[in-house]
Amino acid sequence: MQKTKATLADLISASNNLSPNDLSDFNAMQAGRNPVDVFPKALDETTHVIKQGNRVLAVGGHAQGGIWFVTTNVVNELSKAERFRFYRMLKSHLVTIKSESSNDIALTNFVSVNNHAHVRLLEALGATFQTGHATSPAGFPFKQFWL
């Protein structure tokens, strides 16, 4: 398992194989979009990928404080030990991002209140959440979080 700068191919691979929870979040945020059209546009100098061999587990970035990442179906195939290693990689990457980021930029985004697995992961990574919720353009409840 390794983390590297993401390529366009990595983003396309992830968008074609989003985990059910992340695909559900994507659709609940704004209806009528295709991940293959959206995720490649997010490629910038902050975008990284975590792979196991040549298989994409997750991609994400943090341009201008808008932190994001999505997982693929490959994560569901990981053993307990591999999942723990994946979590440690995410946590280590977050520490790096925070140490390299300006103190005046908050790392923030929104997560669906119905994506319980993602909320638990964010909590484990130390996220704080808004009280109450916001409604997405598609009409679903989301919570803003800060890392």
Side-chain angles (χ1 to χ4, degrees):
M1 199 175 295
Q2 72 276 356
K3 178 193 72 153
T4 61
K5 291 277 190 177
T7 66
L8 183 59
D10 295 328
L11 288 166
I12 292 169
S13 175
S15 63
N16 280 317
N17 195 27
L18 287 178
S19 67
N21 284 340
D22 286 344
L23 181 57
S24 179
D25 267 16
F26 180 83
N27 291 325
M29 178 54 79
Q30 185 177 335
R33 300 181 302 162
N34 183 335
V36 176
D37 296 330
V38 174
F39 286 110
K41 294 175 185 173
L43 183 62
D44 65 21
E45 68 281 351
T46 71
T47 313
H48 284 80
V49 61
I50 297 176
K51 290 183 173 181
Q52 186 170 44
N54 64 353
R55 300 178 74 201
V56 174
L57 297 170
V59 292
H62 61 279
Q64 300 173 355
I67 194 163
W68 66 277
F69 76 93
V70 293
T71 59
T72 69
N73 287 308
V74 178
V75 171
N76 298 328
E77 301 170 12
L78 298 177
S79 68
K80 188 174 183 178
E82 290 168 328
R83 282 179 185 262
F84 189 67
R85 183 169 180 217
F86 177 65
Y87 167 76
R88 286 193 322 257
M89 289 183 85
L90 288 174
K91 190 160 183 104
S92 173
H93 186 64
L94 180 59
V95 168
T96 301
I97 290 169
K98 286 182 172 183
S99 71
E100 294 173 350
S101 295
S102 172
N103 287 338
D104 60 341
I105 296 178
L107 297 173
T108 186
N109 207 331
F110 290 82
V111 63
S112 170
V113 299
N114 297 319
N115 190 343
H116 303 291
H118 208 124
V119 170
R120 281 192 311 273
L121 176 58
L122 288 166
E123 288 171 341
L125 292 171
T128 57
F129 297 85
Q130 81 177 89
T131 303
H133 69 271
T135 302
S136 73
F140 294 92
F142 277 71
K143 281 190 178 274
Q144 187 170 10
F145 67 86
W146 294 267
L147 286 166

